[in-house]
Amino acid sequence: TEVDGKTNEIKAMRPLFEGRGSLAGKVVTADAMHAQRDHADFIVDERGGYYLLGVKSNQPKLTDALVSLPGGSFSP
């Protein structure tokens, strides 16, 4: 999906998936720009899918929460 130069891909995510079928049983992957609660809720609660989102250090609380998971589940 092409994104207008006056906006960014954050605003394009919902329309991209709203025009398609259910995400049930599907995994959406996206870069750290989409590591937002609103996007995660949309993918899971509204569309029935799963997600794998990148996380960067500009979200220190989220990064700390992931690092603190047992067994080294996620790398920093």
Side-chain angles (χ1 to χ4, degrees):
T1 298
E2 190 171 336
V3 177
D4 184 331
K6 296 179 182 180
T7 186
N8 63 39
E9 62 192 69
I10 291 174
K11 294 180 182 177
M13 197 271 293
R14 279 180 176 264
L16 175 68
F17 290 110
E18 285 174 344
R20 304 190 191 295
S22 169
L23 292 174
K26 301 203 172 41
V27 178
V28 174
T29 61
D31 63 19
M33 183 179 288
H34 296 283
Q36 301 181 33
R37 185 168 291 158
D38 179 56
H39 287 194
D41 289 344
F42 174 75
I43 292 167
V44 175
D45 297 336
E46 295 183 38
R47 306 297 293 172
Y50 302 95
Y51 60 84
L52 179 62
L53 304 173
V55 176
K56 290 187 174 180
S57 60
N58 66 335
Q59 293 188 2
K61 289 182 182 179
L62 178 56
T63 302
D64 290 346
L66 293 172
V67 170
S68 72
L69 289 172
S73 302
F74 297 90
S75 62

